[in-house]
Amino acid sequence: MGPISDIDRQLFARVAAGRLRGAHPLLPRLSRAADHGKLWLGTAGVLATVGGRTARRAALRGVGSLAAASLASNLVVKWTVERRRPVMDGVPLVRRLRQQPWTSSFPSGHSASAAAFATGVAIESSRYGTLVAPLAAAVAVSRVYVGVHYPSDVVAGVALGIGAAALTRRWWPARPEVPAQARPRVSAPAMPKGEGLFVVVNHSAGNSPVAGGFTDAEQLRLLLPAAEVLECGPEDDFMTLLGQAARRATERAGALGICGGDGSVNAAATLACERGLPLAVFPGGTLDHFALDIGVPNFEDTAHAVTEGDAVAVDLARATPLAGGAPGEGPSHFVNTFSLGFYPELVRIRESLEDRLGKWPAAAVALGRTLRTATPMEIEVNGHPRRLWVLFIGNGGYSPEGFAPAYRQQLDDGLLDVRAIDGDQPLARTRLLFSVLTGTLGRSRVYTTRRMRQLRLSGLHALDTRAYDGEIAAEPAQALLIDKRPAALTVYRPAQPQNELLQRARTAAAKAKWWRAVLRK
């Protein structure tokens, strides 16, 4: 520690004696603003308000990383490594903080929080991370500049913050910035201003006024003024309205659009595939897995693709009832996932509690009830008897492989992602929960994964409900054939990922123009 301490003192003395042009009063103010994470919470708020879905996800990971780094720094390391603060005789009075910290100098908690927040944001979006990084670096430098930390304190804090942010990936996989791969399809018509597009907005999917007081339907009309937007309220029949939109799109040789959650996208995708229509997906649900995988996280992305006629072809998975070993009638399709076991029951309980508790609290209560009362199901998978808690089938390979399925990197691979929780293993639920909490699910013996082209399920007489894309369906079929329709669905998406900040700025300008026109009237 002797040589390191000497270097620390020499560097600290040089910073104390030096004068950085333009640094005062900026650095002291930044240092104070970062107290208790206020600067980063404010930055997260700005990102979530001004940016789109990617910005909100980046802000959330940034705040989570900050919390982890702050706990590790202030509650663990500082109480383990006691180090006196620098002597500030050489620091000009004008730079010093009004209140000097009294805790251990090692490590710099401000630097840890700054690095954690910036790294967390960058994990989700390199573009937003580039914007936040200079601010984080300035805060770290400011701690030496105002005389409260040695340079090694700052370096240690930065390393701790980066490590805390990187550790979040163990439990919360980061979604790639590049959308999933899919083969191009050039047959989708370009529709300037949305001419020929018929969009159904499903208000039951949780649509609410967005920034500027605009609802999803109003924002669609703003982005694509020539499109016909049909709103489905609580009193309307969604499937009837969707059928009307598909029929009119077919007559006009146009396209079908859907604004809603994954369940709504499922219904629209099935209808679009049957009628040979391209599909425009506007994310209007809570999670919007398909929209994120396809590469349209915001309304502006889909609107740009519709205007330019950019689209791709993706696989559509299906579950076909079997009768006497031969395929029956009426397959059910899914764009994301199909599942059996306690998940359908979990969804049923959640939906019964949503109106009183809200979606996420209801989901937590439903999970607790289901894990406490559920029993394994006994079915046959490809002719082999299995006792399972859950059977998950994904439309395409999900990543990460050794974790809960989070996202797809390819939408036309022709494969099913099959994952199961074994009901024959002792203490399966407890071991599964422990594996999830410790991030070791991929090594758990109760959790198995396979990739295959089709799957035959039988012995389903005791299971009358299944989950397609998160929606519960009651089906009496005792046997199902799960397979895929390769490249069966054409979906609009931009040829190149769009700049979210620029898109939001353009939309904000359009909204301002609209408000000015309203006020003139």
Side-chain angles (χ1 to χ4, degrees):
M1 286 295 292
I4 296 178
S5 298
D6 290 342
I7 294 173
D8 256 354
R9 294 189 183 94
Q10 291 172 13
L11 290 175
F12 180 82
R14 290 187 63 178
V15 173
R19 299 186 61 181
L20 299 177
R21 184 173 299 178
H24 188 82
L26 178 61
L27 289 182
R29 287 179 177 174
L30 270 180
S31 198
R32 290 194 298 271
D35 288 347
H36 310 296
K38 291 182 291 186
L39 175 64
W40 309 120
L41 293 177
T43 303
V46 171
L47 284 175
T49 302
V50 176
R53 185 184 293 269
T54 302
R56 291 192 290 272
R57 196 168 62 244
L60 185 60
R61 187 183 290 273
V63 171
S65 302
L66 181 153
S70 181
L71 287 173
S73 171
N74 296 318
L75 297 183
V76 178
V77 183
K78 279 185 178 292
W79 293 99
T80 304
V81 181
E82 293 187 7
R83 188 181 195 185
R84 291 185 178 182
R85 298 276 175 172
V87 177
M88 294 192 297
D89 293 346
V91 180
L93 289 175
V94 71
R95 294 189 199 169
R96 300 182 189 180
L97 301 177
R98 296 189 186 96
Q99 292 185 336
Q100 298 300 320
W102 55 270
T103 56
S104 172
S105 180
F106 185 92
S108 168
H110 282 63
S111 301
S113 297
F117 182 82
T119 305
V121 169
I123 287 173
E124 291 292 343
S125 169
S126 58
R127 182 177 289 112
Y128 289 119
T130 301
L131 294 176
V132 174
L135 188 62
V139 168
V141 170
S142 75
R143 302 306 286 175
V144 180
Y145 187 75
V146 299
V148 295
H149 282 291
Y150 290 108
S152 63
D153 300 333
V154 170
V155 171
V158 169
L160 184 91
I162 293 174
L167 197 61
T168 64
R169 299 173 65 107
R170 188 174 182 87
W171 292 273
W172 181 7
R175 178 176 291 275
E177 294 186 58
V178 179
Q181 297 179 14
R183 67 196 76 179
R185 175 74 65 87
V186 296
S187 60
M191 294 177 286
K193 297 184 178 180
E195 180 68 34
L197 176 66
F198 295 82
V199 187
V200 177
V201 179
N202 188 4
H203 287 293
S204 66
N207 300 285
S208 58
V210 294
F214 284 76
T215 64
D216 286 341
E218 290 168 340
Q219 188 171 3
L220 283 171
R221 294 187 178 102
L222 187 69
L223 292 170
L224 299 168
E228 185 167 339
V229 180
L230 308 176
E231 298 185 61
C232 182
E235 304 301 324
D236 300 317
D237 184 87
F238 171 67
M239 292 305 299
T240 300
L241 200 61
L242 189 64
Q244 293 174 359
R247 184 175 61 255
R248 293 162 74 174
T250 303
E251 293 169 353
R252 293 277 300 275
L256 179 63
I258 183 65
C259 176
D262 288 311
S264 302
V265 173
N266 177 310
T270 301
L271 205 51
C273 186
E274 290 175 355
R275 292 179 172 265
L277 293 169
L279 182 66
V281 177
F282 297 90
T286 304
L287 299 176
D288 297 314
H289 290 295
F290 184 75
L292 294 178
D293 286 342
I294 199 68
V296 287
N298 304 299
F299 282 18
E300 293 87 351
D301 295 288
T302 310
H304 176 82
V306 166
T307 301
E308 298 296 323
D310 295 329
V312 293
V314 304
D315 294 346
L316 188 62
R318 62 186 172 185
T320 306
L322 297 176
E329 296 293 331
S332 298
H333 294 84
F334 55 99
V335 295
N336 296 324
T337 63
F338 166 88
S339 60
L340 293 171
F342 66 63
Y343 180 75
E345 178 64 13
L346 185 153
V347 173
R348 187 191 65 77
I349 297 174
R350 186 204 70 197
E351 290 178 344
S352 69
L353 299 173
E354 273 184 20
D355 292 339
R356 286 179 292 160
L357 303 179
K359 188 162 188 174
W360 292 114
V365 173
L367 178 61
R369 289 185 183 178
T370 305
L371 287 176
R372 187 176 66 253
T373 61
T375 57
M377 59 182 176
E378 296 184 3
I379 63 174
E380 290 187 3
V381 181
N382 286 338
H384 300 286
R386 295 293 303 273
R387 192 167 183 264
L388 304 173
W389 287 100
V390 173
L391 178 65
F392 165 94
I393 303 175
N395 176 22
Y398 274 80
S399 295
E401 292 189 11
F403 200 80
Y407 58 86
R408 286 165 287 184
Q409 296 179 314
Q410 190 171 353
L411 296 171
D412 61 347
D413 57 6
L415 298 175
L416 298 169
D417 188 332
V418 182
R419 308 188 183 200
I421 300 176
D422 195 345
D424 285 327
Q425 296 286 339
L427 300 174
R429 285 177 291 185
T430 303
R431 293 165 64 182
L432 177 68
L433 182 60
F434 176 80
S435 299
V436 171
L437 293 176
T438 57
T440 58
L441 187 60
R443 297 193 294 273
S444 174
R445 292 187 178 182
V446 304
Y447 183 75
T448 58
T449 65
R450 296 287 187 276
R451 300 280 173 89
M452 54 188 66
R453 295 194 176 275
Q454 68 175 29
L455 190 68
R456 192 177 294 263
L457 305 176
S458 55
L460 306 179
H461 51 276
L463 304 170
D464 57 354
T465 58
R466 295 93 199 252
Y468 294 90
D469 293 326
E471 299 291 332
I472 300 302
E475 294 180 350
Q478 296 186 19
L480 292 171
L481 175 66
I482 315 293
D483 63 357
K484 300 183 71 170
R485 301 174 63 181
L489 180 64
T490 299
V491 186
Y492 283 101
R493 89 164 179 198
Q496 298 293 333
Q498 300 296 291
N499 186 320
E500 186 178 82
L501 286 175
L502 184 59
Q503 287 181 326
R504 304 296 286 186
R506 288 172 177 168
T507 304
K511 289 178 180 179
K513 183 179 179 180
W514 185 88
W515 279 115
R516 286 196 297 268
V518 170
L519 292 175
R520 288 195 193 101
K521 295 179 181 179

